[in-house]
Amino acid sequence: MRTSFQCYLALSAVAVPVYSQQIWDIWQTTWDKSKLFTSLAPTSPINFVTPGPIGSADIVIDDRTKFQSIAGFGASLTDTSALTLNNLKARNSGNYKNVLNYMFSPTDGANAAGLNYIRVPIGASDFSAGLYSLDDVNGDTSFSNFDINKIPAYVFSVLRDIQSVNNLLKIHLVAWSPPGWMKDSGTMNGGSLKSQYVGNYATYLLKAVQGFQKQGFPVYAISIQNEPGNNNPTYPTCTMSPDVEGQIGSTLRSLLDSNSLSGVKIIGYDHNWDNAGSYPVQLMNKYGSAFEGVSFHCYAGSVRNQDIFHNAFPSKAIHFTECTGTIGSDWWSDVKWYMDNLWIGSLEHFSQTGLMWNIAADGNGNPKLPGTNSCGGPGCRPLVTVNSDGSYSFNQEFYAMAQASKAILPKDAGGPFGQRIGVSVGGSLGWALRVGAYVTGRSSSSDWLRYSIVVLNWNDNASSGSVTPQPVSTTIQFRGMQAKYTFPVGVTTLSWFAPANSNVARGVHNATEPDVVLLN
């Protein structure tokens, strides 16, 4: 009986001549922290050669099967995150610069994650110094008192600094609540939007987009309401039915289009996986023309539920926009969960983005909105912890995300981001690896494409009570050729160049890429 790879090899041999590529770029984070998003330039090239026996695990790349393009990775710049980073800038400007560069620089080959997707609250959230909206004057339906500068100046200052590091920044606005005077609770904390303010609230959101634009921040997307099923009286929340959100979205779509903002995407739902088959499906059924798609959070349900929505609306975008770590949790257990469910998993289930919650906070996950019960217990952990003395440390959320981000960053300045492609894993230890595969296009059609895989080896025997890591000797099959690599327990990102399929038959070789050898 033929193996799946033998079938793939036979098809490949018919379709295109065979070339050898070389793995040129390796980034690695190991379970024991001996390597933390570390660049490992191989001492000699790892070549794709004539196939031999498969390894204990066998990764088969199918670059003919293409899925969604990836918009990027990142987190939320809450008031807390911005304040924390702004204070770091005042205390130690060198450390501030290092943090931003390491997190956000998209330069090809740089020692940096290239995070590029930032979610920004419109008004107060559970991580603000106090309650505020952008117009707190009761009954001001003309919005003569609307003021984008109600958002603290340090939010715009830090956002501007991030923008100066990464000109590919995508900004996604989202409100935690309408102004209190629009709600039946009379406050931003809890309650629902009054029906008479549906149209006014759409105008409020339009003005928020315009306000960011005037501040010099082009808006990529906007969500109508963060977590519309969440009604918490201790911080800004607002319950909102699919019909109400859909009506707001439809009105906002018209307002954006008529104000030269047709490129701004409207994202619906922005809540947990558990209701993927209900709320977002109902929203798209009636109001789909207004929305590019929906986004999900990790706090209830399974990432596989994203497939329920995708199967119902395969042409609609899926985003993953929020999850948070818990202070004091186990480092390696967290990394495994993030890769399995988020940075490989959510993309595997059609997400175009991967975001955590706070970009930055202190060692206790503070400061928070006074009186909130959000992030109770030990507290929520950010991507980077910043201490009062101006020191800082990156957390497992960052290192796991950085490994995935590296695989989809543009190769060329301003060039396209990566796109998910087909991949499968076989072999006796195939279960030990979780793999995502991506191709990144080029600015010039004659340049070779970059192919990347993100590999989690979780063969750690942790169920026995202690970690006894087992590396996995692996073969990587690509276009009828085979490379070998032994993956340590941890996360590894590998990349190589190859011609676009349309160029393979012509034997195109771009001298700016690694040398290749034609094999008979």
Side-chain angles (χ1 to χ4, degrees):
M1 183 176 70
R2 292 181 122 193
T3 67
S4 59
F5 171 64
Q6 286 172 327
C7 293
Y8 175 77
L9 177 57
L11 289 171
S12 299
V14 172
V16 296
V18 176
Y19 279 79
S20 169
Q21 286 82 33
Q22 297 176 330
I23 294 172
W24 59 275
D25 199 17
I26 304 172
W27 294 81
Q28 196 166 86
T29 296
T30 53
W31 75 276
D32 61 357
K33 307 184 190 178
S34 60
K35 295 183 179 67
L36 291 171
F37 189 48
T38 301
S39 177
L40 303 176
T43 54
S44 60
I46 301 173
N47 292 307
F48 284 88
V49 299
T50 302
I54 68 169
S56 297
D58 186 46
I59 299 171
V60 180
I61 311 297
D62 176 10
D63 64 316
R64 296 166 302 179
T65 301
K66 294 182 171 64
F67 299 97
Q68 79 277 18
S69 293
I70 309 303
F73 291 88
S76 292
L77 188 70
T78 60
D79 293 357
T80 286
S81 292
L83 177 62
T84 301
L85 290 170
N86 195 60
N87 288 343
L88 175 61
K89 183 178 183 179
R91 293 186 189 111
N92 191 321
S93 60
N95 280 0
Y96 175 73
K97 181 178 180 181
N98 291 340
V99 165
L100 294 196
N101 283 334
Y102 193 48
M103 296 183 86
F104 298 106
S105 174
T107 303
D108 181 58
N111 182 29
L115 305 182
N116 70 294
Y117 201 106
I118 293 184
R119 198 161 163 252
V120 184
I122 301 170
S125 73
D126 41 336
F127 282 80
S128 296
L131 292 178
Y132 70 93
S133 74
L134 305 187
D135 190 343
D136 286 322
V137 177
N138 187 37
D140 185 21
T141 55
S142 65
F143 296 110
S144 56
N145 295 284
F146 183 96
D147 186 2
I148 197 68
N149 291 309
K150 291 288 190 68
I151 295 173
Y154 49 75
V155 172
F156 292 124
S157 176
V158 170
L159 194 56
R160 196 163 285 112
D161 289 340
I162 295 172
Q163 189 182 51
S164 71
V165 172
N166 192 337
N167 62 0
L168 302 175
L169 201 64
K170 296 181 176 77
I171 295 172
H172 184 152
L173 302 183
V174 53
W176 263 242
S177 172
W181 55 268
M182 291 187 182
K183 299 169 65 182
D184 56 15
S185 61
T187 172
M188 294 180 72
N189 291 357
S192 301
L193 181 71
K194 292 182 178 179
S195 58
Q196 65 263 36
Y197 291 123
V198 165
N200 300 119
Y201 186 49
T203 301
Y204 174 88
L205 295 176
L206 167 70
K207 293 181 75 65
V209 173
Q210 292 172 322
F212 271 80
Q213 299 275 141
K214 289 175 183 176
Q215 289 279 345
F217 303 111
V219 174
Y220 178 80
I222 184 170
S223 292
I224 303 299
Q225 172 62 45
N226 177 67
E227 299 184 346
N230 185 6
N231 183 10
N232 188 313
T234 73
Y235 68 93
T237 54
C238 180
T239 55
M240 193 173 283
S241 69
D243 270 326
V244 171
E245 182 171 315
Q247 291 166 27
I248 297 166
S250 296
T251 303
L252 178 59
R253 180 75 274 159
S254 297
L255 289 171
L256 289 168
D257 292 349
S258 61
N259 282 275
S260 303
L261 292 166
S262 59
V264 177
K265 306 173 191 301
I266 301 178
I267 307 299
Y269 188 51
D270 221 331
H271 208 174
N272 292 327
W273 289 319
D274 58 344
N275 290 320
S278 53
Y279 192 115
V281 170
Q282 294 166 30
L283 185 65
M284 293 303 111
N285 273 333
K286 289 187 67 174
Y287 305 98
S289 60
F291 291 83
E292 192 223 14
V294 300
S295 63
F296 291 98
H297 298 179
C298 76
Y299 307 116
S302 165
V303 65
R304 293 175 180 83
N305 289 359
Q306 290 179 184
D307 290 351
I308 299 172
F309 178 82
H310 174 77
N311 292 337
F313 296 96
S315 65
K316 290 297 183 182
I318 291 174
H319 295 268
F320 181 83
T321 50
E322 191 180 313
C323 194
T324 188
T326 301
I327 292 173
S329 60
D330 181 69
W331 193 91
W332 172 233
S333 296
D334 289 341
V335 170
K336 288 189 290 185
W337 194 91
Y338 293 141
M339 300 311 302
D340 183 34
N341 291 278
L342 305 184
W343 317 140
I344 295 173
S346 67
L347 274 63
E348 187 176 73
H349 297 284
F350 302 100
S351 178
Q352 298 180 6
T353 55
L355 279 70
M356 290 299 287
W357 181 211
N358 275 303
I359 291 176
D362 69 16
N364 295 311
N366 291 324
K368 293 190 293 187
L369 181 73
T372 183
N373 65 9
S374 176
C375 284
C380 290
R381 187 175 47 236
L383 293 184
V384 59
T385 296
V386 179
N387 304 308
S388 58
D389 62 0
S391 63
Y392 62 90
S393 59
F394 287 98
N395 298 314
Q396 51 263 50
E397 291 75 20
F398 170 78
Y399 288 115
M401 182 186 290
Q403 291 285 155
S405 178
K406 205 68 174 176
I408 56 88
L409 292 179
K411 164 62 180 169
D412 306 310
F417 282 73
Q419 181 179 11
R420 184 169 71 94
I421 57 176
V423 63
S424 59
V425 187
S428 60
L429 289 180
W431 59 266
L433 304 184
R434 286 283 281 119
V435 184
Y438 310 93
V439 59
T440 301
R442 304 298 303 279
S443 296
S444 170
S445 59
S446 64
D447 287 339
W448 285 28
L449 307 178
R450 186 187 69 210
Y451 288 87
S452 302
I453 55 174
V454 181
V455 181
L456 166 68
N457 174 7
W458 53 5
N459 187 18
D460 55 12
N461 296 296
S463 60
S464 64
S466 62
V467 175
T468 52
Q470 298 296 318
V472 176
S473 298
T474 305
T475 42
I476 304 167
Q477 318 289 354
F478 177 73
R479 293 185 182 174
M481 304 298 287
Q482 182 187 87
K484 295 180 180 180
Y485 190 81
T486 298
F487 290 95
V489 171
V491 188
T492 304
T493 303
L494 303 177
S495 299
W496 63 94
F497 288 108
N501 283 336
S502 59
N503 289 338
V504 174
R506 300 200 298 269
V508 173
H509 175 208
N510 187 325
T512 65
E513 306 299 2
D515 290 338
V516 296
V517 179
L518 179 62
L519 299 179
N520 295 319

